[in-house]
Amino acid sequence: MTSARPITIKDIAKRFHCSPSTVSRALNDHPAINEDTRRNIKEYALEVGYQKNEVSLSLLNKKTATLGVVVPSIGHYYETAVIEGLHAVLQPLGYTLNICVTNENYLLEKEYLTKLLSNRIEGIFLSVAQETYDAGYYEHLEQVNQRHTPLIFIDREYETFETSRATVDDYHGAFAAVEHLIQMGYRHIAHLKGPNGLTVTEQRFKGYIDCLRKYNLDISEELIINTNFKVESAIVPTKRLLDLPLPPDAIFGVNDQVAIGAMRVAKDRGLRIPQDIGLVGFDNSPITAYTYPSLTTVGRPGRKIGMEASRLFLNQLNASEDFRHENIVLPAELIIRESTLRLS
Amino acid sequence: MTSARPITIKDIAKRFHCSPSTVSRALNDHPAINEDTRRNIKEYALEVGYQKNEVSLSLLNKKTATLGVVVPSIGHYYETAVIEGLHAVLQPLGYTLNICVTNENYLLEKEYLTKLLSNRIEGIFLSVAQETYDAGYYEHLEQVNQRHTPLIFIDREYETFETSRATVDDYHGAFAAVEHLIQMGYRHIAHLKGPNGLTVTEQRFKGYIDCLRKYNLDISEELIINTNFKVESAIVPTKRLLDLPLPPDAIFGVNDQVAIGAMRVAKDRGLRIPQDIGLVGFDNSPITAYTYPSLTTVGRPGRKIGMEASRLFLNQLNASEDFRHENIVLPAELIIRESTLRLS
DNA sequence: AATAATGCTTCAAACGTTTGCGGATATGTA
DNA sequence: TACATATCCGCAAACGTTTGAAGCATTATT
């Protein structure tokens, strides 16, 4: 039963005993149409709720005004901030965003890319899934290149893949976080690392390591444990850390979620934060300002990343022959709160 | 420079000096095509990366296999859970979800609906924006009805609008939360209410009020303050509550965010939770299990709602003449944690 | 009165794909 | 040799819209 056939321009043409061309021109205010004809047609169109079929227009103009946004999840603050930034720039320009969530799944990511290309979207913003990283797959990106569809990496990227990207300087963000811990007098600093292989994970890890090196602090394997970005994935690792003969006096979490998980475990153990143990997260998600104690964290300008990524896309669209891919890296900002502010 | 024109069926036809029909049939394994021809064509298509133009197919078949999901935001746990549920059912059936974020903005919501209809999507899942509520607008929904496009309400709905919906029993969820507080011995219970007018807000509010009535507890205007669902919107209201001559001994937050905001303020005041003050949230977002103390909350089955909403859509698609809209209401579940568990 | 100009409208092609029908060639049967 | 039957392929229309070019009245210009 569902769909009563939508009114078409032909239907209107029949009603007025004129040709579809006339109706089209009338609706688009073409000057070479009689004033009365135009008015009548427009009134009637409004009355019957005519809506132009964008599908046919897309076919005709080879333009869909649609962009794909392919991300592993939309549950975290950063991702939604990026999407908001994309939206802020691109929606006013008439673009529709087609948001696809891969759930960290490679096959789904591939399927989405194919589907988006089949649907003739005009550009893709991609943060690659974890599985894609793990397996080192990237053939599914070739089809995008082959079609010369602009591809912009956001957040999670392939370092070796030649395309534009807008990312955050995770390395220096992490470095600053650990340096801050050191300046606060913490010396035995653990890291709840993300899943191995992801650029964000490894960059933050590298920042952590390099900072320890700079200050001649020991790097201990047992102080580095993987998590999967979720709160609950921090619980067991944190317990293991605190059970060590020489437990850490600070924990740097790969994101806010795991830092909050660690906070919970530390409090359960009766540890005082920041006196007994310091905690740092990453992302500056809204909640971090209101945990107790509030969480020191590294802010990522997600909205700005989205806006920069949009700019990269637009540049590529209007680019000349000698177009070179751009690499935008925005700084991360250390936000000092109570969880590390111990007056030594 | 960007787009090298995608390969079409005509290009392939030229290459093999045959007609487009033949290519089409070869690619679709039509039996009336010579084995060799088919093989050659398919090989060549693969080689040059041919991808069928879904836009033209949509036009031809009047089917886009795309559904619109229009929500006020994607920042909260519940919303992403719903989307995941929709996805779980509909993605395997070949549907693409077009996720649109209205930012609580009426005009944007209207624009999205129009655009989705113009793009000939086959169904819409809608959680209405706050502005839409406030102003009581709903003409923009008429166009959806007029086109007989299935419309399913999720979460935020218009009670008076005749369509299918899948929602959570906020009323009884709130009632259970407050009843639990009463059973724990709390007597002076405040409510951090959401923005007025929203169904979810009002239902939870009603549950709160009715429960107080049932137990003959006073209902005090000054214990009811509006928030906007965000953490920070709970700070000032909570301070005002705690500054009252007779401050509340428990706070029921309209969602987890505001409850966590309240938790922060209470702790700043040196109040012990749950001994001095009880706290309840709503949504069971992952973090609530790991705050300190963990937060008692009311769980909403977001994923299930998404799946049920999908079912409603599919029902409507295959419905006969005597189709009636369905109204699915799933129960909310009280999840008791430390923030209210005082042993009286 | 012939020509030019103006105002309004229709024709036809195009976008990429599918599909019923008819056509052509080759093979089998009488 | 004539006819039926497979086997394979092309024609053309369709989906809804836009748009350059051409058509046709009517009015203006010489």
Side-chain angles (χ1 to χ4, degrees):
Chain A
M1 55 134 285
T2 53
S3 45
R5 195 175 59 80
I7 307 278
T8 74
I9 241 176
K10 289 184 187 173
D11 297 328
I12 303 181
K14 256 182 215 147
R15 160 75 175 66
F16 284 95
H17 305 292
C18 69
S19 74
S21 339
T22 302
V23 176
S24 169
R25 283 193 245 260
L27 293 175
N28 293 321
D29 287 321
H30 191 285
I33 291 291
N34 181 287
E35 194 59 43
D36 292 343
T37 318
R38 186 211 325 280
R39 192 164 25 76
N40 288 334
I41 289 181
K42 287 182 92 167
E43 269 175 15
Y44 180 75
L46 197 65
E47 184 189 327
V48 298
Y50 168 78
Q51 272 177 324
K52 86 169 59 170
N53 186 331
E54 291 288 347
V55 176
S56 77
L57 270 184
S58 295
L59 180 59
L60 185 61
N61 300 329
K62 301 183 177 211
K63 286 193 176 170
T64 53
T66 302
L67 302 173
V69 181
V70 183
V71 290
S73 81
I74 50 171
H76 299 112
Y77 172 69
Y78 179 72
E79 290 142 353
T80 60
V82 171
I83 291 175
E84 201 201 314
L86 291 170
H87 187 88
V89 174
L90 297 167
Q91 203 268 340
L93 297 176
Y95 286 104
T96 297
L97 298 184
N98 206 325
I99 299 166
C100 307
V101 184
T102 62
N103 268 322
E104 307 284 8
N105 183 310
Y106 168 71
L107 280 177
L108 211 50
E109 179 174 308
K110 181 176 178 179
E111 201 176 316
Y112 273 131
L113 289 180
T114 305
K115 196 157 192 173
L116 288 170
L117 290 176
S118 290
N119 285 330
R120 299 298 189 260
I121 47 82
E122 298 174 25
I124 293 179
F125 299 95
L126 173 64
S127 175
V128 308
Q130 193 177 318
E131 274 187 29
T132 309
Y133 259 105
D134 291 350
Y137 297 132
Y138 60 97
E139 313 97 45
H140 64 313
L141 298 183
E142 286 304 338
Q143 54 178 333
V144 184
N145 259 6
Q146 196 173 16
R147 279 271 294 282
H148 294 86
T149 301
L151 172 67
I152 320 281
F153 279 134
I154 47 180
D155 197 14
R156 309 234 210 113
E157 49 159 338
Y158 267 117
E159 297 181 53
T160 56
F161 199 86
E162 169 69 13
T163 194
S164 294
R165 64 199 77 209
T167 54
V168 173
D169 189 347
D170 288 300
Y171 174 79
H172 286 103
F175 195 99
V178 177
E179 191 163 44
H180 164 67
L181 284 171
I182 294 170
Q183 283 163 356
M184 287 290 119
Y186 300 103
R187 286 293 173 271
H188 202 52
I189 302 169
H191 179 40
L192 290 175
K193 193 184 171 186
N196 290 337
L198 297 185
T199 309
V200 290
T201 295
E202 300 301 343
Q203 287 300 307
R204 290 174 199 175
F205 177 61
K206 194 154 174 289
Y208 161 80
I209 293 288
D210 286 1
C211 188
L212 292 185
R213 286 226 178 88
K214 175 178 171 190
Y215 288 91
N216 289 315
L217 295 179
D218 287 344
I219 292 163
S220 162
E221 289 251 347
E222 57 185 20
L223 290 185
I224 300 159
I225 310 186
N226 290 105
T227 67
N228 69 1
F229 294 130
K230 294 186 185 164
V231 205
E232 53 267 32
S233 74
I235 305 305
V236 172
T238 306
K239 284 180 179 162
R240 216 161 80 212
L241 288 174
L242 298 182
D243 284 338
L244 286 175
L246 195 67
D249 60 359
I251 299 178
F252 168 45
V254 70
N255 72 355
D256 290 332
Q257 311 298 310
V258 308
I260 288 173
M263 181 183 282
R264 166 75 212 211
V265 175
K267 282 182 166 178
D268 277 340
R269 297 287 177 105
L271 295 175
R272 293 167 308 158
I273 306 167
Q275 295 88 337
D276 302 329
I277 189 165
L279 288 175
V280 182
F282 214 110
D283 275 0
N284 190 26
S285 39
I287 200 126
T288 55
Y290 300 99
T291 54
Y292 191 83
S294 59
L295 186 67
T296 293
T297 185
V298 181
R300 288 199 282 172
R303 197 164 187 281
K304 258 193 196 162
I305 286 286
M307 298 179 75
E308 284 297 320
S310 307
R311 204 176 55 68
L312 292 182
F313 162 72
L314 294 170
N315 281 354
Q316 191 160 349
L317 256 197
N318 311 320
S320 49
E321 268 312 317
D322 58 345
F323 171 76
R324 289 287 104 201
H325 287 292
E326 269 185 272
N327 228 320
I328 299 283
V329 181
L330 296 184
E333 181 196 8
L334 178 66
I335 293 158
I336 299 171
R337 298 214 183 90
E338 299 162 348
S339 67
T340 56
L341 255 193
R342 74 172 173 190
L343 313 167
S344 50
Chain B
M1 54 134 283
T2 52
S3 45
R5 196 175 59 79
I7 308 277
T8 72
I9 242 177
K10 290 185 187 174
D11 297 328
I12 302 180
K14 256 182 215 146
R15 161 75 175 67
F16 284 95
H17 305 292
C18 70
S19 74
S21 340
T22 303
V23 178
S24 169
R25 284 193 250 256
L27 293 174
N28 292 320
D29 287 321
H30 192 283
I33 292 291
N34 183 285
E35 194 59 43
D36 292 342
T37 320
R38 187 213 323 280
R39 193 165 22 76
N40 288 333
I41 289 180
K42 287 183 93 168
E43 269 174 15
Y44 180 75
L46 198 65
E47 184 188 329
V48 297
Y50 168 79
Q51 273 177 324
K52 86 169 60 171
N53 186 330
E54 291 288 347
V55 177
S56 77
L57 269 185
S58 295
L59 181 58
L60 185 63
N61 299 330
K62 302 186 176 207
K63 286 193 176 170
T64 53
T66 302
L67 302 173
V69 181
V70 182
V71 291
S73 82
I74 51 170
H76 299 110
Y77 172 69
Y78 179 71
E79 289 142 353
T80 60
V82 171
I83 291 175
E84 201 201 315
L86 290 171
H87 186 89
V89 175
L90 298 167
Q91 203 269 339
L93 296 177
Y95 286 104
T96 297
L97 298 183
N98 206 325
I99 300 166
C100 307
V101 184
T102 62
N103 268 321
E104 308 284 9
N105 183 311
Y106 168 71
L107 280 178
L108 211 50
E109 178 173 309
K110 181 176 177 178
E111 201 176 316
Y112 272 130
L113 289 181
T114 305
K115 197 158 193 173
L116 287 171
L117 290 176
S118 290
N119 286 328
R120 299 298 188 260
I121 48 83
E122 298 173 26
I124 293 178
F125 299 95
L126 172 64
S127 174
V128 309
Q130 191 177 320
E131 274 186 31
T132 309
Y133 260 105
D134 291 351
Y137 297 132
Y138 60 97
E139 311 96 44
H140 64 314
L141 297 184
E142 287 302 338
Q143 54 180 331
V144 184
N145 258 6
Q146 196 171 17
R147 278 270 293 283
H148 294 87
T149 300
L151 171 66
I152 320 282
F153 279 133
I154 47 180
D155 198 14
R156 309 234 210 112
E157 48 160 337
Y158 267 118
E159 298 181 54
T160 55
F161 200 85
E162 168 69 12
T163 194
S164 294
R165 64 201 75 207
T167 53
V168 173
D169 189 347
D170 289 299
Y171 173 80
H172 286 102
F175 195 99
V178 177
E179 190 163 45
H180 164 67
L181 284 171
I182 293 170
Q183 282 162 357
M184 287 291 120
Y186 300 103
R187 287 292 173 273
H188 203 52
I189 302 170
H191 180 40
L192 290 174
K193 191 184 172 186
N196 290 337
L198 297 185
T199 309
V200 290
T201 296
E202 300 301 344
Q203 287 301 307
R204 290 174 199 176
F205 176 61
K206 194 152 175 290
Y208 161 79
I209 293 290
D210 285 1
C211 187
L212 292 186
R213 285 226 177 90
K214 175 178 170 190
Y215 287 90
N216 289 314
L217 294 179
D218 286 344
I219 292 163
S220 161
E221 289 251 345
E222 57 186 17
L223 289 186
I224 299 160
I225 310 186
N226 290 105
T227 67
N228 69 1
F229 294 130
K230 294 185 184 164
V231 206
E232 54 266 32
S233 74
I235 305 305
V236 173
T238 307
K239 284 182 179 160
R240 217 162 79 212
L241 288 175
L242 298 182
D243 284 338
L244 287 175
L246 194 66
D249 59 0
I251 299 178
F252 167 46
V254 69
N255 72 356
D256 291 332
Q257 312 296 310
V258 309
I260 288 173
M263 182 184 282
R264 166 76 211 208
V265 174
K267 283 179 164 179
D268 278 338
R269 298 287 176 104
L271 296 175
R272 293 167 307 160
I273 305 167
Q275 296 87 340
D276 302 328
I277 190 166
L279 288 175
V280 182
F282 214 110
D283 275 0
N284 191 26
S285 40
I287 201 123
T288 54
Y290 300 99
T291 53
Y292 190 83
S294 57
L295 186 67
T296 293
T297 185
V298 181
R300 287 200 281 172
R303 197 162 187 280
K304 258 193 199 164
I305 286 286
M307 299 179 74
E308 284 297 320
S310 307
R311 203 174 56 69
L312 292 182
F313 162 71
L314 294 170
N315 281 354
Q316 191 161 349
L317 256 197
N318 310 321
S320 49
E321 268 311 319
D322 58 344
F323 171 76
R324 289 287 102 201
H325 288 293
E326 269 184 89
N327 229 319
I328 300 282
V329 180
L330 296 185
E333 180 196 9
L334 179 66
I335 293 159
I336 298 171
R337 298 214 184 91
E338 298 161 349
S339 67
T340 56
L341 254 193
R342 75 171 171 191
L343 313 167
S344 50

